[in-house]
């Protein structure tokens, strides 16, 4: 009985979060509304044995596309930099610069340890209130859910996914649990970011 209730709860939360995000998800660069800034959610550039992580690759491409198309005037990259050997944010910054984005318009959030941290800190530290979040659809839906629950005005620009792959199936399974945790964090636990720190000024392209 407990197993059945748990599965039902996971399915309900998954559906609820997806439905909430649906009206604010965009995949066509021509249709996405222009905003002041984009928040790029971090992930590792490489997976096991040095293979490319295409979730990462496509997020970088989508972010560069937004900037080059004039849809955003600044970019905040948010990721995990918990040790000197693991630094998602600096890697994203370097690859965005390689993609043609001037470094002065890229601001780094080194304390994006979780999606909740990245989203809450976007407003608290970087003063983003009406912005675009960049990630794959499965991740964006959860990020938008958290942002809206915190009173932020956000939309999502969907980076290309890699459907049908082992990585995609693993992420989908992980996402069920992550969404349940996000639901608890927002409505029950009222979880705060692990770290806040001082305000950071974002530079916008004029």
């Amino acid at each position: 009985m407990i197993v059945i209730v748990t599965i039902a709860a996971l399915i309900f939360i998954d559906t609820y979060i997806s439905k909430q995000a649906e009206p604010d998800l965009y995949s066509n660069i021509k249709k996405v509304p222009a905003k002041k800034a984009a928040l790029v959610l971090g992930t590792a550039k490489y997976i096991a044995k040095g293979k490319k992580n295409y979730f990462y690759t496509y997020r970088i491409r989508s972010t560069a596309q937004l900037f080059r198309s004039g849809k955003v005037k600044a970019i905040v990259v948010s990721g995990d930099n918990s040790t000197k050997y693991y630094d998602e944010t600096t890697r994203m910054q370097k690859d965005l610069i390689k993609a043609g984005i001037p470094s002065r318009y890229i601001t780094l959030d080194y304390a994006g340890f979780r999606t909740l941290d990245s989203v809450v800190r976007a407003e608290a530290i970087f003063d983003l209130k009406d912005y675009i979040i960049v990630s794959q659809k499965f991740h964006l839906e959860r990020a938008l859910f958290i942002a809206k629950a915190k009173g932020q005005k956000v939309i999502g620009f969907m980076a290309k996914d890699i459907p049908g792959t082992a990585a995609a199936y693993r992420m989908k399974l992980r996402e069920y649990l992550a969404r349940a945790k996000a639901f608890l964090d927002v409505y029950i636990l009222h979880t705060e970011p692990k770290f806040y720190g001082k305000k950071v000024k974002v530079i916008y392209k004029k």
Side-chain angles (χ1 to χ4, degrees):
M1 183 66 180
I2 294 176
V3 173
I4 294 173
V5 171
T6 300
I7 292 173
L10 289 174
I11 293 172
F12 168 78
I13 291 171
D14 180 69
T15 304
Y16 175 76
I17 288 177
S18 293
K19 289 292 185 183
Q20 272 212 338
E22 190 175 359
D24 298 304
L25 292 173
Y26 296 85
S27 58
N28 188 327
I29 192 67
K30 294 180 180 179
K31 293 183 178 180
V32 63
K35 302 287 183 180
K36 285 187 69 177
L39 172 70
V40 192
L41 300 177
T43 187
K45 183 174 182 177
Y46 299 103
I47 53 178
K49 299 179 182 178
K51 293 182 179 178
K52 279 186 179 181
N53 178 0
Y54 284 97
F55 291 123
Y56 174 96
T57 301
Y58 295 140
R59 288 181 202 182
I60 295 297
R61 288 182 185 175
S62 294
T63 304
Q65 187 181 22
L66 281 172
F67 191 88
R68 288 196 298 262
S69 299
K71 296 293 183 175
V72 296
K73 304 295 184 183
I75 296 164
V76 175
V77 293
S78 182
D80 189 346
N81 181 36
S82 52
T83 75
K84 65 178 181 179
Y85 302 108
Y86 188 75
D87 185 354
E88 292 176 350
T89 41
T90 301
R91 176 71 71 176
M92 288 191 289
Q93 179 198 40
K94 288 180 178 178
D95 286 335
L96 285 170
I97 291 171
K98 287 180 182 177
I101 313 302
S103 61
R104 62 186 175 278
Y105 302 129
I106 306 171
T107 305
L108 281 66
D109 175 16
Y110 292 108
F113 304 116
R114 301 166 302 168
T115 302
L116 182 141
D117 295 56
S118 296
V119 169
V120 173
R121 284 172 54 80
E123 181 174 7
I125 303 301
F126 302 96
D127 202 31
L128 305 187
K129 296 181 176 67
D130 186 0
Y131 61 99
I132 301 173
I133 303 178
V134 181
S135 190
Q136 277 71 27
K137 182 182 179 182
F138 68 87
H139 191 195
L140 274 178
E141 290 176 342
R142 173 161 50 97
L144 292 184
F145 162 74
I146 295 169
K148 290 180 180 181
K150 299 297 182 179
Q152 298 180 10
K153 187 177 180 182
V154 291
I155 59 175
F157 186 55
M158 294 185 288
K160 185 178 177 181
D161 210 334
I162 50 175
T165 63
Y169 288 124
R170 285 195 300 271
M171 291 303 292
K172 181 61 178 175
L173 179 60
R174 176 184 175 277
E175 189 62 24
Y176 275 110
L177 301 177
R179 290 183 181 203
K181 179 65 166 63
F183 192 89
L184 290 173
D185 283 338
V186 167
Y187 291 128
I188 307 298
L189 303 175
H190 306 292
T191 304
E192 294 291 333
K194 294 179 182 178
F195 179 77
Y196 276 102
K198 297 179 180 179
K199 290 264 191 179
V200 176
K201 182 177 176 61
V202 175
I203 299 175
Y204 296 90
K205 182 179 179 182
K206 294 181 180 179

